[in-house]
Amino acid sequence: MGESRYSKQRELIYDALASTKEHPSAEMIYKELKPSYPSLSLGTVYRNLNFLVEEGRAISIPSTVNRYDATTQDHPHFFCTCCGNLYDLDISMDQTLDEPVESLGYEVHRRDLIFNGLCPHCLKKGNFGTED
Amino acid sequence: MGESRYSKQRELIYDALASTKEHPSAEMIYKELKPSYPSLSLGTVYRNLNFLVEEGRAISIPSTVNRYDATTQDHPHFFCTCCGNLYDLDISMDQTLDEPVESLGYEVHRRDLIFNGLCPHCLKKGNFGTED
DNA sequence: TTCGGTGCAAAGCCTTTGCATGTCT
DNA sequence: AGACATGCAAAGGCTTTGCACCGAA
């Protein structure tokens, strides 16, 4: 059963992540650490970021394959982590979501609200893990 | 100046997109249309989807390079389309967002709320387009 | 005729993975 | 010693792009 072991690289990567507000990508972390740790490899950065996410010590702001929608007005989506389906949610995207953001000085053009979890269908089937 | 011209492929691709609730990926559309239009190429599907998005006739549910964050609690983000920065928004992610979703039978594990637009910095500089 | 669109294939990113080597415990 | 982590490089996806041909206007 998987024990997790100390490594200098992992520590550096976590520290780099925890000490910035930039939401760095793997590449950004790599570029930051490489000068002071020349033997570091990009693969290690990827592996460790994924590891940290699994451990719950980091989140990833997700990238999926691009999906498209001909309904151009904003509406939230639900991504089922079990079956991979992406559902429309017929819920009004409360425009008041923008207010606090705009009061901070941002100009909002669009909102993407994506829920993650299990859809009713997968809940019914009792599929709680990822299907393959 | 760019005129846009009719093509059967573009029509088919738009129709396919408009007639489904599946939020298809480029690949999904390609697979759907290919049998009845064997000369169709995947590159054309990508080009047309991007075109439709630019025209405002479709939206893309975005994919960016994975970004990471060591703050593991949910909080919304703001992506500036001008400078490419991803900002934390120090706004409480109202848990009541989940209620209407859960009442539809979904089990919510996480929400990703990403605003798009211009950040205060770019607004100040008057940079309203994409910087290169 | 003109210039945008297409098909095809190659190239480009980002990310993952296989393998031999290194290193915590 | 044993198992996990690393570095390196190759392989894998998804997407874009260059080029020659096709076709709408």
Side-chain angles (χ1 to χ4, degrees), chain A residues 5-7 25-27 42-43 46-47 50 63:
Chain A
R5 199 171 279 185
Y6 173 84
S7 84
S25 62
E27 179 92 29
L42 185 54
Y46 275 105
R47 270 188 295 239
N50 290 339
S63 113

Side-chain angles (χ1 to χ4, degrees), chain A residues 45-113:
Chain A
V45 175
Y46 275 105
R47 270 188 295 239
N48 276 293
L49 288 172
N50 290 339
F51 170 84
L52 290 170
V53 170
E54 275 169 28
E55 294 264 294
R57 299 208 286 148
I59 62 170
S60 80
I61 296 156
S63 113
T64 44
V65 180
N66 260 319
R67 299 288 199 103
Y68 299 87
D69 190 332
T71 305
T72 54
Q73 57 178 217
D74 279 329
H75 57 276
H77 295 92
F78 189 99
F79 179 76
C80 179
T81 53
C82 167
C83 64
N85 280 339
L86 187 66
Y87 299 90
D88 272 330
L89 292 178
D90 246 347
I91 291 171
S92 76
M93 191 80 157
D94 196 352
Q95 214 76 339
T96 63
L97 275 178
D98 295 357
E99 280 172 20
V101 183
E102 284 168 346
S103 77
L104 292 172
Y106 295 88
E107 180 178 302
V108 176
H109 293 167
R110 211 181 68 207
R111 314 131 209 92
D112 289 306
L113 176 52

Side-chain angles (χ1 to χ4, degrees), chain B residues 49-102:
Chain B
L49 288 172
N50 289 340
F51 170 83
L52 290 169
V53 169
E54 276 170 25
E55 293 266 295
R57 300 209 285 148
I59 61 169
S60 81
I61 297 156
S63 115
T64 43
V65 179
N66 260 319
R67 299 287 200 103
Y68 299 87
D69 190 331
T71 306
T72 55
Q73 56 179 220
D74 280 329
H75 56 277
H77 294 90
F78 189 98
F79 179 77
C80 178
T81 53
C82 166
C83 64
N85 279 339
L86 187 66
Y87 298 91
D88 272 330
L89 293 178
D90 246 347
I91 292 173
S92 76
M93 190 81 155
D94 195 352
Q95 215 77 339
T96 63
L97 274 179
D98 294 358
E99 281 173 21
V101 183
E102 284 167 346

Side-chain angles (χ1 to χ4, degrees), chain A residues 12-13 16 22 24-38 40-46 49, chain B residues 65:
Chain A
L12 287 171
I13 289 164
E22 284 201 285
S25 62
E27 179 92 29
M28 290 160 91
I29 289 183
Y30 176 70
K31 281 193 178 142
E32 182 187 332
L33 297 178
K34 185 74 175 175
S36 57
Y37 202 99
L40 181 68
S41 92
L42 185 54
T44 295
V45 175
Y46 275 105
L49 288 172
Chain B
V65 179

Side-chain angles (χ1 to χ4, degrees), chain B residues 5-6 26-27 42-43 46-47 50 63:
Chain B
R5 201 171 279 186
Y6 173 84
E27 179 92 28
L42 185 55
Y46 276 105
R47 270 188 294 236
N50 289 340
S63 115

